[in-house]
Amino acid sequence: MKPKDQNYSKSRRLKNQIKAVVTNPYNLIVLIAIVLLTYLIVLPLLDMISTSFTLAQKDARLAGGTAGSFTLYYWQRLLGSALTKQMLLQPLFNSLLIGVCVSFFAILIGSVLAWLMVRTDLPFKPFFSLAVIIPYMIPSWCKSQAWLTMFKTERIGGSPGFLMSLGINVPDWLAYGPVAIITVLSLHYYAYAYLLVSAALNSINSELEEMGEIQGAGKATILRKITFPLVLPAMLSAVILTFSKAIGTFGVINYLGSKVNFVTLSSQLYMNSKSQNTQTAFAMALIMICIASISVFVNQKLIGSRKSYATIGGKGGRSTPIRLGKHKLLITAVLFLFFVFGIIMPIALLILESFMLRQGDYSLSNLTLHYWIGDPIATVMEGQPGIFKNANFINSLINSLKLTFVNGVFGTIFGQIIGYICAKGRGKLHGKVVEQLVFIPYLIPSIAFGGIFLSMFSTPQQLFGVTLVPSLYGTFALLTITSVVKHLPFASRAGTSNMLQIGGELEEAAEIAGAGFFKRFIRIVFPLSKGGFISGFMLIFVSIMKELDLIILLMTPKTSTLPYLAFQYQNSNSPQASDCVAIVMFSIVFLVYALANIFGDADLAKSMGG
């Protein structure tokens, strides 16, 4: 072949290769995903960093500079001034104390429950499988309300709680402060550990444990030498998830810490944001991101490289439960007591208080339906009617339903697409890039994340003088974008877990038969992932319905949601009305989950795997 023909052949081959890459639907999806993730995640993070080094107009005189110029003023004030201990060191210590203690207790409780539910012959599993995830459906700040209803003291709370009304002298340290916060958060976040560890346990073939038993190993040895190493990555992931959530939570700190001046980084961040000290708030947020990043790095070093296996394919696995033997009755009784005091009683207390006209009075004469359906009384609830006659409640209810369903649908779709990219691109550059980009929102505290998007979309987004996105301040669209992006780590994890269960040979066989990308996706991937899609929807639905920290800075009277309305009632000394709102919110979540579980085979544990 002549050199000219050879060059033409190479050129044509290169063009065909480029054309194949550009026209491949999978490559286009990857490109669009990377562009959107960069715009919605990376750029806001860079804006947060630059803002912390930008001098604000109100501080220009104190800092001796020009508004908008580069400055270290806020970092110096935070790290090396007379206010450092008050603004940073004490809140940092409190945050780490809460994070470490909550992680330990939550992982311990969640892992034990997961093992009992998945690997043993524990009786009443249908009941326990529902009861164990109820804490995930109830917002942590609702548990704080229940805690105060039980333990509140007249010395601090103004009105006695249930125990004080019975004549029991409750110490202040039990009602408010770190002990109360750690207990409430542990009873809330153990659900994360349960979901992650149970998903890992479900993927383990019991033949591994049976082989150990055949070799003469006892239950304790099998648990320590076989089961524990296999679920260790899931446990460590649960530690990071719980630790990051605990140090970034605000609602519980506000309810149980503010009255005794127990301040954490998240509450300091909120106070600075509300005071328009945006630069200081963002500097604190960056410190929290660094802490979360370090914990993730340590987690990765401990886990090392881990492999993933398809569990939906041509072969099946089996699971033989471990017999609890003579301990079965005792373990079952302990679990019943745990759920009664840790789950049923808090809900019962919230319901009871919602029918009390005056706090602290548990007599029958004090019971009323006023906070539910009552007409306005000038001396009660600031003259507002009961929630079912209250326009603010109706508006918040509609907003919450719209927000959860819209975000549930869009978040799940995006999560499944990103999960498909991450699953099919594992070990490849584009898969790693997408996986790392979508993980960033997880590291950013919810309050700070809301503040970033508030700052970013308060003004029109322009490119070369052309307005691409108008100002979204005070709109439902801003709530939607913020919620979807913030929950992408969970949505994509659910999607990745879903897609990893689908054996690659199924798609390969369809491709050999001539099926195109979209046909394979519709005929094979989607039908097999339908159950995971519903589980992913429920994961996002539950998270957003109870969300407070993320949206608290974005709220306006027009866009108020149920969590924010409950927060307002609590802060305006109307805890009964707050309880009513919380009960309605929990009832909606529980009803939707029950319907999804019955008709759609929803399983939150499966959506947290991978």
Side-chain angles (χ1 to χ4, degrees):
M1 185 181 292
K2 296 180 180 179
K4 185 177 180 181
D5 294 334
Q6 289 179 342
N7 291 335
Y8 175 76
S9 178
K10 290 180 180 179
S11 175
R12 186 174 181 180
R13 191 182 304 115
L14 180 61
K15 288 180 180 179
N16 290 335
Q17 290 174 346
I18 294 174
K19 183 179 179 181
V21 170
V22 173
T23 57
N24 188 327
Y26 176 77
N27 294 334
L28 291 176
I29 291 174
V30 171
L31 179 61
I32 293 172
I34 291 176
V35 171
L36 287 177
L37 291 175
T38 301
Y39 174 70
L40 293 172
I41 297 175
V42 177
L43 292 185
L45 180 60
L46 293 176
D47 181 65
M48 172 192 278
I49 296 172
S50 65
T51 299
S52 70
F53 291 100
T54 303
L55 190 61
Q57 178 68 47
K58 65 176 183 177
D59 298 317
R61 193 171 171 185
L62 286 173
T66 305
S69 62
F70 176 85
T71 183
L72 294 174
Y73 171 73
Y74 302 103
W75 286 98
Q76 290 172 342
R77 187 165 175 259
L78 195 61
L79 300 176
S81 72
L83 297 173
T84 298
K85 181 178 180 181
Q86 177 186 348
M87 291 181 63
L88 179 63
L89 295 183
Q90 190 60 52
L92 175 60
F93 174 80
N94 291 341
S95 294
L96 293 177
L97 173 67
I98 297 299
V100 171
C101 292
V102 170
S103 297
F104 174 80
F105 290 113
I107 301 307
L108 178 64
I109 297 171
S111 299
V112 171
L113 287 174
W115 182 77
L116 288 172
M117 288 294 301
V118 177
R119 308 305 284 176
T120 72
D121 62 344
L122 182 75
F124 309 112
K125 281 190 178 181
F127 166 76
F128 286 132
S129 64
L130 179 61
V132 77
I133 62 168
I134 287 178
Y136 180 77
M137 300 181 187
I138 306 175
S140 56
W141 48 268
C142 285
K143 296 186 182 70
S144 301
Q145 293 176 221
W147 183 271
L148 290 178
T149 302
M150 175 64 77
F151 297 105
K152 189 166 53 175
T153 67
E154 291 178 316
R155 296 180 295 274
I156 298 178
S159 59
F162 182 73
L163 293 180
M164 284 286 287
S165 68
L166 297 177
I168 301 174
N169 186 22
V170 180
D172 292 339
W173 59 264
L174 184 59
Y176 294 93
V179 172
I181 293 170
I182 290 169
T183 304
V184 168
L185 288 178
S186 297
L187 290 174
H188 178 71
Y189 287 130
Y190 85 79
Y192 289 113
Y194 169 79
L195 291 171
L196 286 167
V197 175
S198 61
L201 286 170
N202 273 314
S203 68
I204 300 173
N205 195 319
S206 64
E207 290 177 356
L208 299 171
E209 294 166 322
E210 290 171 8
M211 289 173 63
E213 192 172 2
I214 291 172
Q215 295 297 321
K219 289 184 176 64
T221 303
I222 293 172
L223 187 63
R224 187 177 71 256
K225 295 288 188 178
I226 299 176
T227 308
F228 180 75
L230 289 172
V231 300
L232 182 60
M235 292 179 67
L236 291 175
S237 296
V239 169
I240 299 306
L241 175 61
T242 306
F243 178 80
S244 300
K245 284 280 188 178
I247 65 171
T249 191
F250 165 72
V252 175
I253 307 299
N254 179 74
Y255 280 88
L256 300 178
S258 59
K259 289 185 180 296
V260 292
N261 295 320
F262 185 83
V263 181
T264 63
L265 285 177
S266 60
S267 55
Q268 277 285 73
L269 194 155
Y270 173 75
M271 288 186 286
N272 278 284
S273 296
K274 294 297 287 184
S275 303
Q276 301 299 315
N277 295 322
T278 306
Q279 287 80 358
T280 302
F282 281 178
M284 288 183 172
L286 290 171
I287 292 174
M288 295 175 72
I289 292 172
C290 289
I291 295 172
S293 301
I294 291 171
S295 65
V296 171
F297 176 77
V298 172
N299 176 63
Q300 293 299 321
K301 287 296 182 182
L302 291 174
I303 293 177
S305 60
R306 71 179 204 184
K307 298 179 181 179
S308 297
Y309 302 90
T311 59
I312 296 179
K315 298 179 181 180
R318 63 187 181 89
S319 178
T320 304
I322 298 172
R323 296 184 180 277
L324 294 175
K326 61 182 180 180
H327 303 295
K328 181 186 291 187
L329 183 61
L330 176 61
I331 291 173
T332 304
V334 170
L335 280 184
F336 268 115
L337 290 175
F338 173 77
F339 288 123
V340 166
F341 288 101
I343 298 174
I344 298 175
M345 185 173 287
I347 296 174
L349 287 172
L350 289 180
I351 295 173
L352 175 61
E353 190 175 57
S354 71
F355 291 106
M356 293 167 51
L357 185 62
R358 298 177 301 278
Q359 281 188 289
D361 184 355
Y362 291 87
S363 63
L364 292 177
S365 60
N366 189 47
L367 297 181
T368 179
L369 291 173
H370 174 77
Y371 294 98
W372 290 97
I373 57 174
D375 294 320
I377 300 176
T379 57
V380 180
M381 200 176 154
E382 298 182 348
Q384 298 184 55
I387 63 167
F388 287 133
K389 293 184 177 181
N390 195 313
N392 291 334
F393 171 78
I394 303 301
N395 177 60
S396 299
L397 175 62
I398 294 172
N399 286 339
S400 287
L401 292 175
K402 283 169 53 182
L403 187 65
T404 49
F405 277 106
V406 170
N407 279 270
V409 171
F410 284 101
T412 305
I413 291 173
F414 295 151
Q416 296 295 313
I417 293 173
I418 292 174
Y420 183 82
I421 294 172
C422 293
K424 300 304 176 185
R426 280 211 162 182
K428 301 176 182 178
L429 178 61
H430 69 270
K432 293 179 180 178
V433 170
V434 172
E435 196 170 8
Q436 293 301 318
L437 285 176
V438 81
F439 184 72
I440 294 175
Y442 170 76
L443 299 174
I444 304 175
S446 293
I447 291 180
F449 197 87
I452 296 172
F453 272 63
L454 177 64
S455 174
M456 180 176 178
F457 290 103
S458 291
T459 56
Q461 298 286 299
Q462 295 184 334
L463 181 65
F464 302 117
V466 178
T467 300
L468 300 178
V469 181
S471 173
L472 299 178
Y473 176 74
T475 65
F476 182 78
L478 179 58
L479 290 179
T480 301
I481 294 173
T482 307
S483 300
V484 167
V485 177
K486 177 59 179 173
H487 290 91
L488 269 182
F490 292 99
S492 64
R493 182 181 182 86
T496 303
S497 172
N498 202 10
M499 297 302 172
L500 283 173
Q501 295 179 57
I502 302 174
E505 71 274 6
L506 300 175
E507 274 196 273
E508 291 171 6
E511 188 174 7
I512 292 173
F517 175 81
F518 291 108
K519 188 174 183 179
R520 297 197 307 269
F521 198 87
I522 294 172
R523 293 290 185 88
I524 297 175
V525 176
F526 181 74
L528 289 176
S529 64
K530 185 175 63 174
F533 186 93
I534 297 173
S535 298
F537 172 85
M538 283 309 307
L539 188 71
I540 300 173
F541 180 92
V542 173
S543 298
I544 295 178
M545 175 59 81
K546 64 184 184 178
E547 184 63 69
L548 175 63
D549 298 359
L550 176 65
I551 62 176
I552 195 168
L553 295 177
L554 307 177
M555 288 290 97
T556 63
K558 184 180 177 181
T559 59
S560 175
T561 60
L562 291 179
Y564 184 70
L565 182 64
F567 175 79
Q568 284 185 310
Y569 281 142
Q570 183 72 27
N571 282 355
S572 60
N573 293 319
S574 298
Q576 298 97 319
S578 182
D579 294 338
C580 292
V581 175
I583 293 166
V584 171
M585 184 173 54
F586 166 71
S587 300
I588 293 171
V589 171
F590 187 80
L591 177 62
V592 173
Y593 178 77
L595 293 174
N597 190 270
I598 294 171
F599 298 106
D601 193 28
D603 188 347
L604 291 178
K606 291 180 181 177
S607 67
M608 293 289 283

